[in-house]
Amino acid sequence: MKPYKVPPIKSSEITPKELFDARRKFMQMAGGAGLAALLPAAVWAGDKLPDIKRSAYNVAEALTPFKDVTQYNNFYEFGTGKDDPAAKAGRLKTRPWTVTVDGAVNKPKVFDIDELLKLAPLEERIYRLRCVEAWSMVVPWVGFSLAELIKRVEPTGNAKFVELVSLHDPAQMPGQKSAVLEWPYREGLRIDEAMHPLTLLTVGLYGEVLPNQNGAPIRIVVPWKYGFKSAKSIVGIRFVEKQPVSSWMKAGPAEYGFYANVNPDVDHPRWSQAKERRIGEFLKRKTLMFNGYADQVGQLYAGMDLQANF
Amino acid sequence: MATLKNLPNKTLAGVKAALFVLGLIPVFKLAYGAYADSLGANPIEKITHVTGYWTLTFLLITLSATPLRRLTDWSWWIRLRRMLGLFAFFYGCLHFLAYLVLDQFFDWDSIAKDILKRPYITVGFPAFLLMIPLAITSSDAMMRRLGGKRWRLLHKLVYPCAIGGVVHYWWLVKKDLTNPIAFAVLLALLLSVRAGHWLVNAH
C-alpha cells in the first residue's frame, strides 16, 4: 500500500498574505461604510447647522437674545403659558420625521426630514416676528424659501391654497391633552403667499438646529403675518382648491382671520395693533404695515378690503 | 373651641401681623425678580399679570370673611376683612399703575381707546375705580362719619367690583379659560352663599 501523500497546493492557488490582509481591510471598510449609510447623519437641537449662506433678506435691527427667542413661546401643543414650550418640549422626538406633501400636485412625495435639510442651500434670514398679542422680536432664522419645495412637487392648476398640518401626538405634546384648540394644528396660505420668496421653510435659528419649543424639526415663518400663521412641527403640506379653515379661525372666527396680515389699522378685540412692544424694550414702537414688508408683499393684496379680509 | 371663637386681642394682633407679611410676599417676589432680571422675556406683562391675579385673589378672600364667620361661628374673621380688602386695593393700584406707566407709558390717547374699544378694559377700569371709595372709607373714623347703615350700603360696591374683575379676566384671556373659570366659580359660590342667607332671612 502506497503511503498517502498530501497533494501539493499549486502556487497559483495560494493568496499572498498582503493580498489577504488587504481584502480583509476592504471588507471591513465596506461594511462600515454600509452601516454608516444606514444611519443618517442627523442633526439635533443645539447642533450647529453647516454651510449657511447669508441672505439678502435681513433687517438691520438688534437681534432679540437667543434666550428670549427660545424661552418665550406660544406653542399651545405644549401648554398655554409662554414658559410651557421650553419646559415641556423635551419629549418631542424629531427623528424619524417625515413631511407628507400631497393634494393637487403632479409629484406628491413623502420627504424625510434629513432629505428636506438638503433640498436647497440653507440661508440665514433676519426677520421681524410680530405676535397678535402685540409683542415682537427680531430672529435670525435658518432655512430656505418654501417655494423651493413647492416647485419640486409641481402644483396643478387646482392648487389655490396650501394647508399646513402640525404633528398631533398627545404623548409627545402634553398640551394636546386639553382641547384648547382643535388638534392637529392647521394653518393655511394662499398659493401666491406660499410661493413668495419671503415665506421661509425653517429648520434653525441663530445658526443652530431649531429647538423643539420653536417648532422643530421644521416650521414655516411668514414674516408679514402674525406669529400664529407660522405652523410649527409640520408633518403635512397639502395643496387644495378651497381656502382651508385654520385652528385659530375655528377657535374664534371674529378674532382670527385667514390672512392675519400684520396691520396697525385693524385692531384685534383684545389688543390694539397700532403699537407693539419689542421684547427687551421699555417703550412701545409703532407697528409697521405688513410688519415692515409692505414693499415686498403689498401687491399680493392689491384691491382687497383688509378690514374684511383680516 | 371657645378660644377660637373669641380670639384674645393679642392673638388677633399676631394673626394680623402674620397676614400682613404674607400679603406682601407677591410684591416682594416681583421686586426681587425685577432686580435680579428674572421676570422672563416680557417683564411688563409678567408684572401686570401677577398684580392682577393677586387683586382678584384678595378680593375673593375678602368676600369669604362673612361666609366663613357664619360657617365657623368665629367672629374674628370680620376683623381681618379690612386688611384683606386693603390688600386687594393695594394690588389693584399696582396693577393699574403697571398698565398706566409700564404698559402704556401715559399714552392717554391709546388708554382712552382701550377703555372704549376693548371690552375687558371697559369693564376692568370701572371695577378698579369702585375700589377707591371703599379704600377711602375703610377707616374707623370714616365709618363713624358715614354711619353704619350708609357705610354698609356703600361697601356693597364690592360686589360689582369683584364681578367686574372676574369678567375683566375672563374677557382678556385668548383661549385657555382655566383660571378665569376657577375665579368665576369661587365668586359665584361666595355670592350664592349670601343670596341663600338673604332669602332665608327675608322669609
Side-chain angles (χ1 to χ4, degrees):
Chain A
M1 213 173 124
K2 272 190 178 173
Y4 178 76
K5 268 172 109 180
V6 179
I9 300 167
K10 284 190 236 161
S11 67
S12 63
E13 281 181 333
I14 296 171
T15 309
K17 186 175 184 296
E18 308 85 78
L19 210 64
F20 175 84
D21 285 347
R23 190 168 64 185
R24 200 172 191 156
K25 187 144 196 197
F26 172 78
M27 294 300 283
Q28 283 170 342
M29 273 172 63
L35 263 178
L38 284 173
L39 299 170
V43 283
W44 303 93
D47 284 357
K48 281 275 169 207
L49 283 164
D51 310 321
I52 301 171
K53 291 198 306 180
R54 283 284 283 182
S55 160
Y57 294 114
N58 287 317
V59 293
E61 290 172 25
L63 299 183
T64 304
F66 177 82
K67 184 171 168 273
D68 292 342
V69 174
T70 54
Q71 303 283 316
Y72 189 75
N73 306 103
N74 275 325
F75 196 173
Y76 280 19
E77 278 82 344
F78 297 108
T80 54
K82 299 274 193 298
D83 310 330
D84 289 335
K88 295 179 185 166
R91 254 185 292 167
L92 178 68
K93 271 176 59 193
T94 56
R95 294 294 186 295
W97 190 284
T98 57
V99 181
T100 305
V101 186
D102 59 7
V105 291
N106 287 324
K107 294 180 174 172
K109 186 170 154 66
V110 179
F111 288 91
D112 183 77
I113 183 63
D114 292 300
E115 185 184 355
L116 278 176
L117 278 160
K118 295 179 198 108
L119 188 94
L122 295 181
E123 296 175 16
E124 178 172 85
R125 297 189 182 180
I126 299 168
Y127 282 167
R128 295 180 201 92
L129 171 78
R130 171 66 155 73
C131 177
V132 71
E133 297 164 3
W135 52 265
S136 63
M137 293 182 176
V138 178
V139 187
W141 300 109
V142 180
F144 50 80
S145 291
L146 178 61
E148 293 287 343
L149 173 95
I150 295 177
K151 275 186 250 165
R152 282 167 175 77
V153 294
E154 296 177 10
T156 69
N158 289 331
K160 306 278 198 298
F161 295 91
V162 184
E163 184 179 50
L164 304 148
V165 184
S166 298
L167 179 69
H168 182 204
D169 182 359
Q172 296 184 62
M173 298 179 141
Q176 289 177 336
K177 287 173 185 154
S178 127
V180 256
L181 289 172
E182 191 179 286
W183 311 114
Y185 194 88
R186 288 175 195 277
E187 256 308 338
L189 294 168
R190 214 168 57 191
I191 189 82
D192 57 343
E193 296 177 325
M195 288 293 288
H196 193 282
L198 276 173
T199 302
L200 192 70
L201 198 63
T202 308
V203 296
L205 57 83
Y206 269 101
E208 290 183 7
V209 171
L210 203 59
N212 289 355
Q213 61 268 35
N214 293 88
I218 196 155
R219 66 174 288 176
I220 59 153
V221 173
V222 194
W224 70 94
K225 293 175 180 285
Y226 295 119
F228 68 86
K229 277 306 272 191
S230 309
K232 302 185 179 101
S233 302
I234 293 173
V235 293
I237 300 177
R238 194 171 175 80
F239 291 77
V240 293
E241 191 158 10
K242 276 171 48 184
Q243 182 175 298
V245 178
S246 72
S247 292
W248 276 109
M249 286 164 77
K250 272 207 178 130
E255 299 186 16
Y256 306 97
F258 177 78
Y259 288 97
N261 290 318
V262 176
N263 187 339
D265 303 324
V266 179
D267 279 353
H268 181 278
R270 268 184 282 272
W271 307 281
S272 160
Q273 301 297 1
K275 289 184 184 180
E276 68 200 46
R277 171 163 292 111
R278 181 67 51 84
I279 293 301
E281 291 180 0
F282 177 66
L283 291 176
K284 288 184 177 175
R285 49 169 75 208
K286 281 198 166 139
T287 288
L288 305 169
M289 188 65 199
F290 295 118
N291 204 22
Y293 299 94
D295 287 346
Q296 290 96 324
V297 301
Q299 80 285 354
L300 294 178
Y301 310 99
M304 272 175 75
D305 177 359
L306 297 178
Q307 297 274 345
N309 297 290
F310 61 92
Chain B
M1 282 322 209
T3 46
L4 269 176
K5 189 169 177 175
N6 293 306
L7 229 48
N9 279 343
K10 234 175 132 181
T11 317
L12 192 67
V15 170
K16 275 186 171 174
L19 199 61
F20 184 78
V21 173
L22 281 176
L24 286 174
I25 288 176
V27 70
F28 277 125
K29 276 177 75 178
L30 273 184
Y32 177 76
Y35 162 76
D37 196 17
S38 63
L39 295 180
N42 197 346
I44 295 172
E45 179 187 71
K46 182 91 169 185
I47 290 168
T48 311
H49 286 176
V50 169
T51 51
Y53 174 87
W54 284 102
T55 309
L56 271 183
T57 302
F58 273 109
L59 265 175
L60 294 187
I61 301 177
T62 309
L63 283 172
S64 60
T66 301
L68 279 173
R69 185 192 54 183
R70 288 192 195 129
L71 208 69
T72 59
D73 212 21
W74 304 341
S75 59
W76 49 269
W77 289 114
I78 296 304
R79 294 171 69 185
L80 303 175
R81 190 170 58 180
R82 169 161 51 194
M83 186 194 281
L84 292 165
L86 285 171
F87 263 119
F89 179 65
F90 171 65
Y91 282 103
C93 286
L94 290 181
H95 183 62
F96 178 71
L97 283 173
Y99 170 77
L100 180 74
V101 184
L102 301 179
D103 190 36
Q104 296 284 6
F105 200 65
F106 308 107
D107 184 343
W108 303 111
D109 185 50
S110 167
I111 291 169
K113 277 186 188 145
D114 260 1
I115 293 172
L116 292 173
K117 285 181 75 177
R118 322 238 165 275
Y120 79 97
I121 295 179
T122 315
V123 66
F125 181 62
F128 166 70
L129 292 182
L130 285 181
M131 293 169 86
I132 298 172
L134 303 191
I136 291 173
T137 58
S138 67
S139 67
D140 289 341
M142 284 303 283
M143 219 184 281
R144 272 194 300 274
R145 259 176 76 175
L146 281 171
K149 222 175 179 176
R150 267 186 292 171
W151 187 90
R152 271 194 297 276
L153 188 68
L154 178 70
H155 278 250
K156 293 218 187 309
L157 286 178
V158 72
Y159 301 131
C161 170
I163 294 168
V166 169
V167 172
H168 166 74
Y169 191 18
W170 189 294
W171 282 351
L172 81 85
V173 167
K174 187 159 82 175
K175 200 64 191 67
D176 182 9
L177 286 170
T178 317
N179 281 341
I181 288 172
F183 276 113
V185 167
L186 278 173
L187 180 64
L189 200 73
L190 291 170
L191 294 183
S192 54
V193 167
R194 285 176 168 78
H197 186 79
W198 178 80
L199 276 173
V200 168
N201 283 8
H203 289 86

